[in-house]
Amino acid sequence: CGSALSAVLFILVNIITTPHSIWAIYPVYALIWWPLSIAFAKRKYLMVYSLCGSILSAALFIFMNIITTPHNIWAIYPIFAFVWWPLATYYFIYKRRKNLLEQ
């Protein structure tokens, strides 16, 4: 609830002070990470955490690409890096756990 209220505050300040420049996405992105981390990582839902974190980060880079240089598609490069986080989580945690249980 606090993160959502803070995000709304940042968006309102952005709209009121500098409506021609969108800068509120950066603090809102940081504010979303806190409840995401509490909800998933603390409870050991690591695969869901990595998927949601990758999607959130990909959305940030896509939005940054659209507002800064819409004619050059550069957001695909950091998104490619974010894809490895869920893959690494799957192979190094869940596959290892499965292999240990089989032995």
Side-chain angles (χ1 to χ4, degrees):
C1 185
S3 292
L5 290 174
S6 298
V8 169
L9 177 69
F10 275 115
I11 292 169
L12 287 175
V13 169
N14 186 180
I15 291 170
I16 292 169
T17 59
T18 53
H20 61 280
S21 175
I22 302 173
W23 55 263
I25 59 169
Y26 307 110
V28 169
Y29 171 78
L31 285 169
I32 292 172
W33 272 104
W34 178 257
L36 188 71
S37 299
I38 297 297
F40 297 126
K42 188 176 179 182
R43 294 185 182 127
K44 305 291 185 199
Y45 296 134
L46 300 176
M47 190 65 189
V48 177
Y49 180 58
S50 65
L51 285 170
C52 290
S54 295
I55 291 168
L56 178 65
S57 298
L60 173 73
F61 278 98
I62 289 170
F63 192 73
M64 284 172 40
N65 191 170
I66 291 170
I67 64 172
T68 58
T69 53
H71 300 295
N72 295 329
I73 300 174
W74 55 264
I76 193 71
Y77 301 113
I79 290 171
F80 180 72
F82 291 128
V83 169
W84 290 103
W85 182 18
L87 289 173
T89 302
Y90 176 74
Y91 282 108
F92 290 110
I93 293 177
Y94 291 104
K95 283 295 245 187
R96 183 182 304 172
R97 190 179 297 158
K98 183 179 174 186
N99 288 341
L100 288 174
L101 291 175
E102 289 176 355
Q103 292 178 353

